[in-house]
Amino acid sequence: MALPKDAITGGCQCGAVRYALEPKPYKIYVCHCLECQKQSASAFGLSMPLKFEDLALEGETAEYVRSTDSGARTRCIFCRQCGTRLYHRSDRSPEFVTIKAGTLDETHSIKPVAHIWVSRKQPWVVLDDDVPAYASQPPDLKGWRDELIGNSGRDK
Ligand SMILES: [Zn+2]
Ligand SMILES: [Zn+2]
């Protein structure tokens, strides 16, 4: 794996899978939907969308494929040994991935830019008034995510 010196790094719980990201100002949002609660075995998911080409990963992974409400198929990539979910990739836009941001090596500087599906959130999770919150998801989810990624040619 050719790592830029200032790459952003992360990996699974057991260390068998490691990844590096191009150093860019990535944005992270919090998803409180029930799928994310189940997937994370916790209260919410931390999602960091980026271009697939900005991700370099090594180690053995496996995938679980699930269908979404919109009929797309999402590939959910996890460590074969410890099961940590690492990223998601939709068949509908395979040029992008969503990193599960809790796998980053450095998580203390995470400042979410938005909360989605707050209608499903656990009642004890208290949100910061300064951070935009959506009852479900933004009306144009793809456009919204593209904006987070900083993707200008979104229909390429
Ligand atoms: Zn692992
Ligand atoms: Zn979710």
Side-chain angles (χ1 to χ4, degrees):
M1 176 159 60
L3 296 184
K5 236 199 311 222
D6 49 353
I8 297 165
T9 56
C12 66
Q13 189 174 13
C14 78
V17 179
R18 296 287 302 155
Y19 66 78
L21 310 175
E22 286 296 325
K24 289 184 178 176
Y26 298 107
K27 301 210 166 75
I28 293 170
Y29 63 92
V30 184
C31 183
H32 300 266
C33 85
L34 300 182
E35 288 285 349
C36 284
Q37 293 189 30
K38 184 69 87 178
Q39 180 272 307
S40 65
S42 185
F44 49 76
L46 289 177
S47 292
M48 188 166 93
L50 50 102
K51 292 181 180 167
F52 182 59
E53 65 190 27
D54 287 337
L55 166 67
L57 182 143
E58 65 181 10
E60 239 192 301
T61 57
E63 67 177 31
Y64 155 63
V65 181
R66 80 175 182 92
S67 297
T68 63
D69 293 343
S70 63
R73 281 152 54 89
T74 298
R75 294 174 186 283
C76 308
I77 310 301
F78 56 91
C79 170
R80 197 178 270 285
Q81 285 188 41
C82 71
T84 302
R85 192 72 67 84
L86 294 151
Y87 68 90
H88 289 179
R89 189 180 185 193
S90 171
D91 281 0
R92 197 167 278 172
S93 45
E95 68 272 36
F96 300 117
V97 297
T98 303
I99 292 280
K100 297 287 146 186
T103 62
L104 291 167
D105 289 336
E106 201 287 289
T107 52
H108 284 101
S109 60
I110 289 177
K111 280 200 183 69
V113 297
H115 291 269
I116 70 172
W117 284 107
V118 297
S119 57
R120 302 278 198 271
K121 91 175 171 54
Q122 295 289 328
W124 45 265
V125 174
V126 180
L127 304 185
D128 182 342
D129 285 341
D130 295 337
V131 179
Y134 297 84
S136 59
Q137 56 193 31
D140 174 14
L141 183 65
K142 180 166 178 354
W144 182 76
R145 280 169 45 94
D146 285 355
E147 226 168 274
L148 293 186
I149 297 167
N151 178 38
S152 47
R154 53 185 272 199
D155 284 315
K156 268 198 294 208

